[in-house]
Amino acid sequence: MLSFRGVCSAVIAVGLAAGLSGLPVGAASAAGTAPSPSQRDFADAATASGVPEPLLLALSYQVSRWDDHGTAPSASGGYGLMHLTDVSVADIDDARGLGEPPSAELIAGDESLHRLTAAARLVGAPADLVKADRALNITAGATLLADRARTLDSGALPDDLAGWYPAVAWYSGSTQASGANAFADDVYESLRSGITRTTNTGDLVILPPTAVPPIAKARLLETNAPAAECPAELNCRWIPAAYQWTNPANTNAYGNYDPADRPADGNKIRYIVIHDTEGPYAAAIASAQNPLTVVAAHYVIRSSDGEVTQMIRTKDIGWHAGNRNINSESIGIEHEGIAKEGATWYTEAMYRSSAALVKYLAARYRIPLDRTHIVGHDDVERSNPATLAGSHWDPGPFWDWDHYMSLLGAPVSERPGRVHPGDIVTISPDFATNKQSFPACSPKPCTAVSGQASNFVYLRTEPREDAPLISDPVLQPGGAPGTPNAEDWGNKAVTGRRYVVAETSREWIAIWYGGSEAWIFDPRHDRVLVSCDGRKIAPAEGLASIPVYGKAIPDPAEYPAGITPDIALPLQYRIPAGQQYVAGEPHRASDYYARFDGANVPLNHTLVRGTQVYLRISLAHRWGFVKLSDVTFVR
């Protein structure tokens, strides 16, 4: 998931794949059906702005898929069907895991992050109204595009569709020619092919195939791109993420990744992290090309056809997971989608492209194909206890881990049956029949979800169906019951994750989870499967409880002179004596010290090694680190 905070959008009513393969182009008009409200809004906006209606439709499709989420922004801060941006420094999350956002002045000075204000000014309307009113949003975005086209063409609107190419490329928000051209190319391909889709508000919108003149002369200048690191069978392209200094007075002010030489430099690539973009494919790419967003994953995959865009070389460290240890040892893959709408975004084409890419990367870097090493962003713990509550929960409850792991050739293979205290078990509800519902989420407005296939089981305080959901010390620090909201990740155990059984009671199984017992309803003994292997840890003898950490870094005294040491603060969880957890592989304490290359900083790009050894454990919804010296292994 990209780095902007607080995203929760309305649920799409009709599947993306179904929408793209719906009525043939022209079917509505041929049948005498009146244009839908959205279609009329585009026609009216085209007349008011002078932007050709087909071009306006194609551009809007690339930035919003014509879906209306009311006043909720995308992850990259865009509003409405025209994705008009309005971003402040408070909206920037910490995908790097260092806790240093760019300055408010830099954010305020970047016009690509404030398109809403500019568009509202052009149409003479309040910005809040442009956010909320669909027709006004389309007109404002079209007017902004036309204004840019006039600026680029001596005050006149282009004579043909090809002439609009530079303005369309600018609308992408990408700061580099590669990203701007790629966005414009996608818009013009939509024009050529045509699109028919039923939107989340039930409107049928039709873009007929449109002839486009040659546009080669209009393309922005760009350097030759290197080949993408992808398997030969995938449709891959290279568009670089930003690596740019944003404040010469601060060697830490740059985006959006760290150059490295993994694994030769000692940073072993252990994990692949699965994300969703929380917005359109084009917006995710544009965000990664802006150094002020402080976010970029190595790859982005498109929903409709599985196209792959690589943005960071795999040897380099992307800022994607919000945890410096995990960033330095992982490859991040973004998938176009919105977590609460996953069922409509996570297409078979996307699953298959992603699985092919992961298998290629896993073979190249010897990464085991299991749910300990192929993880979701929601498995990754924030390293700072102060920001842990803001941890992202993508790819969310509708990502089909069962199917995905099968595509990787690594299906869940544990055995079903009765379990006993002390057993290691794997969470494995049947995705198709495990129907879950969510209420409308808060504080952001979004539509409730009812009866969708899901990848998790709820966790309760007692072995009865009316018992409260467990509370999480991060999300409910006062001990209030958890909620069934999708974004309340503290009371949900996800497919593929492994835990130790604490006790059983008829149709219920209790697992050790985040320092407490959590009960799972398993009447058919098929939602929790018994594992045949694995290592268990417990607090060492004589310790009443042990702390859990978000990162495995050296002690302050182990940093060389010239590098300010980081400090590992315990998270809000403690493991009491008597509880047991599944342990992953050991991590020797390490910290990759990096500053901007152009800053000429001594000891830049140094991997600091410590003597402390940590174990990564399956703690709760997320993983955590414990010190090896604090634990004992249990048979």
Side-chain angles (χ1 to χ4, degrees):
M1 185 185 294
L2 293 184
S3 69
F4 294 92
R5 295 177 180 150
V7 178
C8 186
S9 304
V11 175
I12 299 173
V14 177
L16 176 61
L20 291 176
S21 60
L23 292 174
V25 170
S29 57
T33 303
S36 69
S38 292
Q39 192 94 43
R40 290 195 301 270
D41 291 339
F42 282 108
D44 292 345
T47 300
S49 64
V51 179
E53 183 181 351
L55 181 68
L56 185 58
L57 282 162
L59 186 150
S60 176
Y61 177 78
Q62 290 299 329
V63 298
S64 70
R65 298 196 182 271
W66 304 325
D67 284 324
D68 186 356
H69 298 303
T71 58
S74 74
S76 45
Y79 291 86
L81 273 65
M82 296 303 290
H83 197 263
L84 297 172
T85 53
D86 183 26
V87 177
S88 71
V89 69
D91 297 316
I92 305 295
D93 206 354
D94 185 20
R96 185 183 185 188
L98 196 60
E100 292 191 13
S103 71
E105 292 77 14
L106 290 172
I107 295 294
D110 187 333
E111 67 81 22
S112 71
L113 301 178
H114 304 286
R115 298 277 173 83
L116 176 72
T117 302
R121 187 183 303 118
L122 286 171
V123 296
D128 285 347
L129 187 58
V130 175
K131 285 182 183 179
D133 186 281
R134 179 182 60 196
L136 183 58
N137 184 277
I138 296 171
T139 297
T143 303
L144 183 67
L145 178 68
D147 182 72
R148 183 64 178 178
R150 289 189 183 95
T151 300
L152 294 171
D153 200 16
S154 303
L157 292 178
D159 294 330
D160 60 13
L161 284 172
W164 286 88
Y165 189 98
V168 171
W170 167 84
Y171 200 96
S172 71
S174 287
T175 60
Q176 301 178 47
S178 55
N181 284 336
F183 173 78
D185 290 346
D186 289 343
V187 170
Y188 279 80
E189 180 55 35
S190 295
L191 274 172
R192 294 186 187 94
S193 61
I195 298 168
T196 296
R197 185 166 188 270
T198 300
T199 72
N200 67 325
T201 55
D203 291 347
L204 178 66
V205 181
I206 299 172
L207 168 61
T210 304
V212 179
I215 57 174
K217 292 182 180 180
R219 288 177 60 81
L220 307 180
L221 295 176
E222 60 180 324
T223 57
N224 292 329
E229 298 170 284
C230 282
E233 68 269 22
L234 287 187
N235 176 22
C236 293
R237 61 183 184 179
W238 166 258
I239 297 176
Y243 185 68
Q244 183 178 329
W245 207 356
T246 55
N247 183 357
N250 183 351
T251 60
N252 245 350
Y254 63 99
N256 279 337
Y257 63 92
D258 285 312
D261 189 23
R262 303 184 304 172
D265 61 6
N267 278 308
K268 181 180 180 180
I269 301 176
R270 302 172 187 258
Y271 310 110
I272 296 174
V273 182
I274 304 299
H275 303 257
D276 76 36
T277 59
E278 287 299 302
Y281 179 67
I285 292 168
S287 290
Q289 289 204 303
N290 186 331
L292 297 178
T293 62
V294 198
V295 61
H298 294 82
Y299 297 89
V300 188
I301 302 181
R302 187 160 61 190
S303 170
S304 60
D305 59 359
E307 179 184 79
V308 177
T309 295
Q310 184 178 6
M311 304 199 73
I312 302 172
R313 309 306 290 180
T314 56
K315 69 182 181 64
D316 296 329
I317 297 171
W319 299 352
H320 60 94
N323 183 309
R324 288 165 61 200
N325 274 144
I326 304 304
N327 282 345
S328 67
E329 297 186 337
S330 69
I331 293 170
I333 304 177
E334 293 276 3
H335 298 75
E336 183 183 26
I338 297 172
K340 200 168 181 183
E341 303 172 1
T344 45
W345 290 88
Y346 301 152
T347 63
E348 188 64 16
M350 173 182 280
Y351 278 126
R352 290 188 176 276
S353 283
S354 181
L357 177 61
V358 168
K359 285 192 289 186
Y360 163 84
L361 295 170
R364 182 175 178 183
Y365 293 111
R366 299 182 180 180
I367 302 171
L369 290 172
D370 58 42
R371 282 282 282 119
T372 299
H373 299 87
I374 312 302
V375 301
H377 195 178
D378 59 338
D379 290 313
V380 177
E381 66 285 9
R382 286 287 179 94
S383 54
N384 185 345
T387 61
L388 189 54
S391 298
H392 292 197
W393 47 276
D394 55 304
F398 307 132
W399 180 265
D400 189 347
W401 280 110
D402 270 336
H403 179 52
Y404 189 64
M405 297 307 293
S406 292
L407 289 174
L408 292 177
V412 175
S413 58
E414 283 80 359
R415 58 183 173 83
R418 294 188 179 277
V419 302
H420 304 89
D423 285 344
I424 293 177
V425 293
T426 301
I427 306 300
S428 186
D430 179 71
F431 183 79
T433 61
N434 185 47
K435 302 294 179 84
Q436 303 287 7
S437 300
F438 302 118
C441 61
S442 61
K444 296 288 184 179
C446 63
T447 304
V449 176
S450 179
Q452 286 205 23
S454 304
N455 62 19
F456 72 93
V457 293
Y458 279 115
L459 302 170
R460 300 193 179 273
T461 57
E462 298 178 54
R464 51 186 178 84
E465 292 188 76
D466 61 348
L469 295 169
I470 65 169
S471 62
D472 185 279
V474 174
L475 298 179
Q476 294 91 22
T483 73
N485 293 349
E487 69 273 22
D488 188 346
W489 41 264
N491 53 51
K492 299 170 180 64
V494 178
T495 293
R497 292 294 303 279
R498 304 170 80 203
Y499 304 95
V500 179
V501 176
E503 60 176 309
T504 63
S505 178
R506 298 182 301 277
E507 298 175 317
W508 291 81
I509 298 167
I511 56 173
W512 296 122
Y513 191 88
S516 302
E517 279 193 17
W519 288 91
I520 299 168
F521 185 52
D522 189 25
R524 294 185 297 274
H525 308 294
D526 60 356
R527 306 177 82 191
V528 173
L529 306 181
V530 183
S531 176
C532 298
D533 60 3
R535 298 186 303 168
K536 300 182 292 184
I537 61 93
E541 185 177 354
L543 297 179
S545 67
I546 61 173
V548 179
Y549 299 89
K551 52 190 173 186
I553 61 174
D555 294 333
E558 294 177 310
Y559 284 78
I563 295 180
T564 302
D566 195 2
I567 298 175
L569 298 174
L571 301 180
Q572 290 89 327
Y573 306 93
R574 291 191 71 87
I575 298 176
Q579 293 191 9
Q580 300 177 13
Y581 291 83
V582 179
E585 59 197 294
H587 284 241
R588 181 182 169 190
S590 66
D591 188 6
Y592 187 68
Y593 175 78
R595 296 295 184 266
F596 186 69
D597 273 344
N600 194 26
V601 175
L603 301 177
N604 198 9
H605 304 301
T606 296
L607 181 63
V608 182
R609 290 285 200 182
T611 56
Q612 187 76 250
V613 177
Y614 289 79
L615 288 171
R616 196 158 185 249
I617 64 166
S618 184
L619 173 72
H621 188 92
R622 303 177 189 279
W623 291 75
F625 288 106
V626 293
K627 293 179 179 179
L628 181 61
S629 57
D630 283 344
V631 305
T632 185
F633 288 96
V634 181
R635 286 178 174 247

